[in-house]
Amino acid sequence: MKTETRLLSASVVLTSSLMLGACASMGGAGQSASKPLEVGGSQRGELTSTSPRNAKDGSHYERFSVALDAGQVVRFALSGALTGVLSLENGEGDFLGASAGMAGGDISLSQRAEEAGTYVLSVSGQDHRSFGPFRVDARAMTVRNSGALAVGDEVFGWLEGAPNIYTLEVTETGLYQIVQRSAEMDSLLKVSGNGVDLQDDDSAGNLDAQVAAFLEPGSYRVEAGWAMSSERGSYTLTVTSQPLPTDVDLTMGGELPHGDTINGYLAGSPLEYQLVLSEAASVTLTMSSSSLDAYLEINGEAVSFSDDDSGGGSSGLDARISTFLGAGTYTVRASQVGGQSGLFTLSTVVESQNLQERLQGLTSLRPGADHSSRLTSTQDEYKLTIPRTGTYAIEMSSGELDAFLELYGEGVTLSDDDSGSQNVDARITAELPAGDYLLVARTYSRSGSGDYRLTVTRQ
């Protein structure tokens, strides 16, 4: 989508450049024929079949002369029935820019005058079939490219050469939403400070950026920039706050209590928690919500798992990760699919269990094994016996599943998704001491059923 939008913008700019060149070469279409447009005012017009025509593509146009002061930033906006394009040139006929708004959206063009003079604004049809009445407005903008931000602010900024930096002072704990919008560029917004380090590109729709986060009192750095190559143009920056639910106690980060359930609130940005295990244990994390499509991740100690919908729930969108973990500290990340806001619960069940207890009653595998089975549950577990220290390869192959392998032993925690021989097969290759291991065979998403094959070979 970004590429398509960029190509469209480039096409608009090129078309506008050609249009202006053609207009300049046509008798009676120069600056002397332009209608006056005052900053702070508006003009009405209409493109008809009798309007001047661009010889390059057949589109029609009307031109307006605008007197601008040096350093003045003006926003031109087009409204009305006409599906059109705005473009601007200086008094020497040099092309300065064109609107990138699309049909049905905001058609506007902002420009900073490098020097005082009379500029020419053209209102053109997007093609030779574009006709209709229109209104064009010119408004001088008060530019704020730095300084303090407060809740309720709507700042108009101008980017040229470097990102603009603001400071947001938060006095009350709460949920805050910062949005950067622009009709002229692909916005990139960054917010950092007090342990927060977030950035966003397109979450506010189209090419607009949004950071929504739970913020504690303190000072935060807000950086407004662009996502692609260095650009110039205008944007608006808004800061709003959302009230926190008062009927539940919220835990928005920190260490997860074992055997308990906490409440959290997502407002766009993920929340992170820590799971601390003093010994190996079976762990089940369940994230449930009536308003969110829950998504869970756990990372740490050479482990990286994620899940979307394995938790079921009334909506079928709850997330669940159930696995065996070694001692250590893990980061649990709670987020959602789709960008909604709302309450969720996160329960943590930890059952201390040594490896030998976990291995009791499981199907045994040894090097040289060639074992076929069908996955019908969340995961299959095996007891893998390594008779002597060496390098071993364990592979899970399937034509029906996105295979995923986990291996646990004394001081060993390994996993793999797609390192196998074919496409989405899984393969773990490692130096393993002699002993017994827990081998887990599952799918990457922890959902789905299908046939698979396990092989264990000594390298």
Side-chain angles (χ1 to χ4, degrees), residues 16-195:
S16 302
S17 300
L18 294 173
M19 182 188 310
L20 290 171
C23 292
S25 66
M26 296 174 62
Q31 185 170 313
S32 60
S34 302
K35 294 181 180 179
L37 173 63
E38 294 184 359
V39 175
S42 64
Q43 277 277 21
R44 294 184 181 274
E46 183 173 5
L47 294 187
T48 68
S49 59
T50 62
S51 299
R53 182 191 297 270
N54 179 3
K56 297 293 185 181
D57 62 4
S59 63
H60 295 266
Y61 64 90
E62 189 167 347
R63 312 186 85 191
F64 301 87
S65 59
V66 188
L68 301 180
D69 297 329
Q72 187 176 28
V73 176
V74 178
R75 183 178 186 270
F76 303 99
L78 181 66
S79 58
L82 175 68
T83 301
V85 177
L86 295 173
S87 54
L88 190 70
E89 59 183 313
N90 62 19
E92 286 71 42
D94 299 323
F95 173 75
L96 300 179
S99 60
M102 301 176 66
D106 177 28
I107 302 175
S108 63
L109 169 64
S110 297
Q111 184 64 42
R112 181 180 182 274
E114 297 299 328
E115 57 185 26
T118 300
Y119 293 71
V120 177
L121 179 73
S122 294
V123 178
S124 311
Q126 282 196 334
D127 55 40
H128 68 280
R129 297 182 297 271
S130 299
F131 299 103
F134 64 85
R135 169 177 163 170
V136 61
D137 295 88
R139 181 159 67 103
M141 305 301 296
T142 301
V143 177
R144 284 178 55 193
N145 289 337
S146 62
L149 292 176
V151 174
D153 274 355
E154 181 173 8
V155 173
F156 181 88
W158 180 266
L159 283 170
E160 187 161 6
N164 292 334
I165 309 299
Y166 302 85
T167 300
L168 173 63
E169 294 293 339
V170 173
T171 58
E172 296 183 4
T173 300
L175 300 167
Y176 292 83
Q177 186 178 62
I178 307 166
V179 180
Q180 180 188 352
R181 299 188 186 279
S182 176
E184 300 157 33
M185 69 186 72
D186 186 358
S187 300
L188 178 63
L189 183 63
K190 300 180 181 180
V191 179
S192 59
N194 290 340

Side-chain angles (χ1 to χ4, degrees), residues 149-153 155 166-170 175-181 187-192 196 198-201 203-204 208-215 220-224 235-242 267 269:
L149 292 176
V151 174
D153 274 355
V155 173
Y166 302 85
T167 300
L168 173 63
E169 294 293 339
V170 173
L175 300 167
Y176 292 83
Q177 186 178 62
I178 307 166
V179 180
Q180 180 188 352
R181 299 188 186 279
S187 300
L188 178 63
L189 183 63
K190 300 180 181 180
V191 179
S192 59
V196 171
L198 301 170
Q199 73 174 44
D200 182 74
D201 185 359
S203 292
D208 297 333
Q210 169 185 278
V211 169
F214 180 83
L215 300 180
Y220 296 84
R221 184 180 191 268
V222 178
E223 177 180 312
Y235 62 88
T236 58
L237 195 63
T238 59
V239 182
T240 57
S241 63
Q242 302 178 39
S269 300

Side-chain angles (χ1 to χ4, degrees), residues 187-375:
S187 300
L188 178 63
L189 183 63
K190 300 180 181 180
V191 179
S192 59
N194 290 340
V196 171
D197 189 7
L198 301 170
Q199 73 174 44
D200 182 74
D201 185 359
D202 298 328
S203 292
N206 296 321
L207 300 178
D208 297 333
Q210 169 185 278
V211 169
F214 180 83
L215 300 180
E216 301 283 355
S219 181
Y220 296 84
R221 184 180 191 268
V222 178
E223 177 180 312
W226 50 80
M228 305 294 284
S229 58
S230 178
E231 298 186 57
R232 69 194 303 267
S234 67
Y235 62 88
T236 58
L237 195 63
T238 59
V239 182
T240 57
S241 63
Q242 302 178 39
L244 287 170
T246 58
D247 54 344
V248 294
D249 293 328
L250 296 179
T251 303
M252 308 296 282
E255 186 174 337
L256 289 175
H258 296 189
D260 203 355
T261 298
I262 58 102
N263 298 293
Y265 191 96
L266 283 170
S269 300
L271 297 178
E272 290 190 351
Y273 303 87
Q274 286 72 50
L275 175 63
V276 180
L277 301 178
S278 58
E279 57 184 340
S282 295
V283 175
T284 299
L285 300 168
T286 305
M287 180 182 175
S288 303
S289 176
S290 60
S291 58
L292 303 172
D293 183 355
Y295 191 83
L296 264 181
E297 301 169 76
I298 183 168
N299 297 281
E301 306 296 333
V303 165
S304 181
F305 301 143
S306 61
D307 181 73
D308 185 4
D309 298 329
S310 296
S314 58
S315 63
L317 300 177
D318 292 350
R320 176 175 293 148
I321 295 176
S322 183
T323 189
F324 182 78
L325 297 175
T329 299
Y330 300 84
T331 298
V332 177
R333 187 179 174 94
S335 60
Q336 79 287 335
V337 178
Q340 310 96 330
S341 297
L343 284 166
F344 67 89
T345 61
L346 181 58
S347 65
T348 306
V349 178
V350 177
E351 298 176 346
S352 296
Q353 187 178 42
N354 66 47
L355 185 62
Q356 294 307 314
E357 290 176 338
R358 184 66 177 253
L359 295 176
Q360 290 181 9
L362 298 181
T363 300
S364 294
L365 298 178
R366 297 177 68 88
D370 190 339
H371 176 80
S372 296
S373 186
R374 181 171 180 81
L375 186 68

